[in-house]
Amino acid sequence: MVNVIGLGYIGLPTALMFASHGVEVVGTDYNKELVETLNAGKTTFEEKGLDELFNDAVKAGIKFTTEYQITDTYIVSVPTPYDKFSKKIDPCYVNAAVKEVMRVCPKGATVVIESTVSPGTIDRFVRPVIEEHGFTIGEDINLVHAPERIIPGNMVYELLHNSRTIGADSSEIGEKIKNLYSSFCLGDIVVTDIKTAEMTKVIENTYRAVNIAFANELAKICRHDDMDVYEIIRICNMHPRVNILNPGPGVGGHCISVDPWFLVGDYPSLTKVIWESMKVNDSMPEFVLERIYNIMKENNITDFSKVGLYGLTYKENVDDYRESPTLQLLECQEKHLAPQLKVYDPYIKKDIVHNQYHDFDKFLEDTELVVILVGHDEIKENMDKLKNKIVLDTRKICDSDGVYRL
Ligand code: SAJ
């Protein structure tokens, strides 16, 4: 039986996937409310295909509880935040989960860390926790790192099809866990050592952060000299070895805006490109705010209540608003002591900011300048409703003439 610890954005779909592919699974989370919701037959976030997967897993007998189980395989999938000052990883949740596992696990058990961790975290923090409990790693307890690669918005498909990395101390244990993941994973599974697996995961997200920063920097250069960044990127990307990403209002989520900082925290004198890239991405919400002020001026709008931000989530068609560019923008606006702009997002049903609307039409009715910060399908399908509005489109989803861009 596999005990999946942490039933959040990654742990839940992973647990469901195992269960619906014939593996006996118990999912454990310390959040009682979350466990009660799952036991009441409801999923805890919106994601394409997740409800169907949930139903399959429930039919297959998956259980949810707050208790850690006595079993031979644990998969730890808890958050790994970073310290805002030192930029280093904060392994507190991983440590706490492994401690709890150590309290109940029998000798011979394998502990798989799925959470993203910076290179060396398992050596520095996780191994000592296991040893403190009197276990010898490799004899009494096997340790594995199996980072995920799934993208919110297409998680179920990517969980099934993406290739994966398994880091283990011995190839025998690596192969054993590879077989376990092969129960559902159709992609290639590479077995390597733990530190290499840690590094690859962080680098994958850093690669994307740096490339997004490049696109964002181009947007700033082009704005400065009144050039069309999108046309320039389109043409450049016709070169067979150029593939520039899309500029945007900033980078959010719990991966790309976080993981590269782990490297900066651990290797401060060796991460110049990464550091500057993160700063460029972090500067984008303020850049958008300046665009808003300029567009207001150009159109003689003096009243902030006429400006509305469309989208609160960190990207399109997900309900996750962690570190979202919109929240970063609002924070920045607060620093300028400007009155809070109105916000609407179809995916966010509860009030998380002031001045939040829950009805698209009412939001538009009260708004003269619409700032598109997230390209949800809802707005793409309702472009005609923007006809008489001034629009700042930071995602290039709107093709009409006269639309302002980054
Ligand atoms: N963004 C841009 N321009 C782009 C692409 C993205 O501004 O061209 C922005 C998005 O709007 C968003 C942020 O970047 O705010 C990140 O979005 P994303 O869709 O690029 O990635 P995440 O954070 O949802 O998921 C990433 C993925 N990693 C990579 O693509 C290398 C996913 O595969 C990982 O599993 C996930 O991080 C994770 O859990 O680490």
Side-chain angles (χ1 to χ4, degrees):
M1 184 260 281
V2 174
N3 188 195
V4 176
I5 315 295
L7 298 172
Y9 285 98
I10 302 300
L12 180 64
T14 305
L16 300 177
M17 198 53 98
F18 274 120
S20 59
H21 285 81
V23 178
E24 192 187 346
V25 178
V26 177
T28 297
D29 199 294
Y30 72 177
N31 181 341
K32 224 172 132 207
E33 210 180 303
L34 183 140
V35 169
E36 277 167 8
T37 307
L38 294 172
N39 279 330
K42 281 184 267 172
T43 48
T44 39
F45 60 95
E46 277 185 47
E47 174 65 40
K48 190 171 57 190
L50 189 67
D51 287 348
E52 291 81 350
L53 185 65
F54 181 80
N55 293 338
D56 289 349
V58 169
K59 267 189 219 132
I62 191 169
K63 302 267 177 307
F64 305 106
T65 170
T66 53
E67 302 295 322
Y68 284 67
Q69 304 296 300
I70 301 173
T71 186
D72 54 359
T73 310
Y74 298 86
I75 296 182
V76 176
S77 188
V78 294
T80 41
Y82 74 95
D83 182 281
K84 290 258 167 19
F85 296 103
S86 69
K87 312 287 187 201
K88 287 180 192 285
I89 191 167
D90 179 354
C92 60
Y93 297 113
V94 174
N95 279 356
V98 174
K99 263 186 200 154
E100 291 297 324
V101 169
M102 290 303 112
R103 279 204 191 115
V104 294
C105 73
K107 277 193 176 174
T110 301
V111 180
V112 180
I113 309 290
E114 268 227 22
S115 308
T116 300
V117 289
S118 57
T121 300
I122 290 185
D123 281 349
R124 281 198 303 276
F125 299 103
V126 179
R127 289 186 198 276
V129 171
I130 297 175
E131 282 155 3
E132 268 161 30
H133 282 77
F135 292 117
T136 306
I137 298 167
E139 281 177 29
D140 306 326
I141 296 290
N142 299 305
L143 195 50
V144 173
H145 181 40
E148 51 68 35
R149 276 180 172 161
I150 54 180
I151 191 126
N154 200 23
M155 281 183 166
V156 176
Y157 178 88
E158 291 210 351
L159 199 48
L160 278 170
H161 293 92
N162 284 1
S163 59
R164 314 187 55 114
T165 315
I166 307 269
D169 291 334
S170 74
S171 55
E172 188 198 334
I173 295 300
E175 290 298 325
K176 194 176 132 199
I177 296 302
K178 174 176 169 175
N179 278 342
L180 176 64
Y181 279 92
S182 298
S183 61
F184 67 80
C185 177
L186 303 170
D188 288 339
I189 302 181
V190 176
V191 176
T192 183
D193 62 90
I194 288 180
K195 201 166 178 182
T196 303
E198 292 176 315
M199 188 66 166
T200 54
K201 169 69 196 186
V202 174
I203 292 298
E204 286 161 15
N205 281 345
T206 304
Y207 170 86
R208 197 152 166 87
V210 169
N211 281 283
I212 295 170
F214 180 67
N216 284 337
E217 189 154 283
L218 293 184
K220 286 182 167 183
I221 298 171
C222 291
R223 171 59 42 214
H224 181 76
D225 235 359
D226 203 20
M227 291 180 276
D228 181 348
V229 68
Y230 298 102
E231 178 66 351
I232 288 164
I233 291 177
R234 188 182 73 80
I235 296 169
C236 291
N237 282 351
M238 292 170 86
H239 185 293
R241 280 172 299 285
V242 175
N243 185 15
I244 304 169
L245 296 180
N246 302 310
V251 173
H254 216 56
C255 310
I256 295 179
S257 65
V258 175
D259 300 354
W261 285 122
F262 297 162
L263 290 176
V264 175
D266 284 345
Y267 310 99
S269 62
L270 302 173
T271 43
K272 304 266 187 291
V273 171
I274 302 170
W275 171 276
E276 287 302 328
S277 301
M278 296 303 276
K279 283 207 299 207
V280 169
N281 289 339
D282 283 353
S283 73
M284 293 312 286
E286 179 138 32
F287 180 73
V288 175
L289 202 52
E290 275 164 27
R291 286 290 288 141
I292 295 174
Y293 295 158
N294 287 332
I295 294 165
M296 284 174 73
K297 221 186 268 166
E298 212 177 302
N299 291 278
N300 296 322
I301 303 173
T302 47
D303 184 356
F304 281 100
S305 72
K306 297 276 177 237
V307 183
L309 307 179
Y310 179 89
L312 246 175
T313 61
Y314 82 96
K315 65 176 187 180
E316 68 285 0
N317 305 326
V318 299
D319 61 2
D320 186 348
Y321 54 84
R322 292 177 298 175
E323 327 279 336
S324 90
T326 309
L327 290 178
Q328 294 175 42
L329 188 150
L330 291 173
E331 202 177 301
C332 182
Q333 204 205 0
E334 218 174 284
K335 278 189 213 141
H336 292 202
L337 299 174
Q340 149 96 64
L341 300 173
K342 66 166 78 74
V343 188
Y344 162 77
D345 190 306
Y347 281 88
I348 310 295
K349 308 276 190 284
K350 56 180 190 211
D351 275 326
I352 59 160
V353 292
H354 298 301
N355 245 340
Q356 190 179 334
Y357 280 57
H358 295 280
D359 183 278
F360 187 37
D361 291 328
K362 179 86 184 89
F363 166 78
L364 289 180
E365 205 180 295
D366 292 353
T367 302
E368 209 175 317
L369 166 57
V370 181
V371 184
I372 303 174
L373 291 169
V374 187
H376 291 307
D377 285 348
E378 181 203 51
I379 193 154
K380 286 188 183 158
E381 286 156 12
N382 283 290
M383 281 302 169
D384 52 318
K385 292 191 176 174
L386 300 179
K387 241 186 261 154
N388 299 318
K389 306 286 172 195
I390 302 164
V391 177
L392 166 58
D393 175 11
T394 68
R395 297 284 186 176
K396 202 186 181 286
I397 57 166
C398 190
D399 272 335
S400 352
D401 288 341
V403 165
Y404 291 95
R405 299 205 196 281
L406 273 181

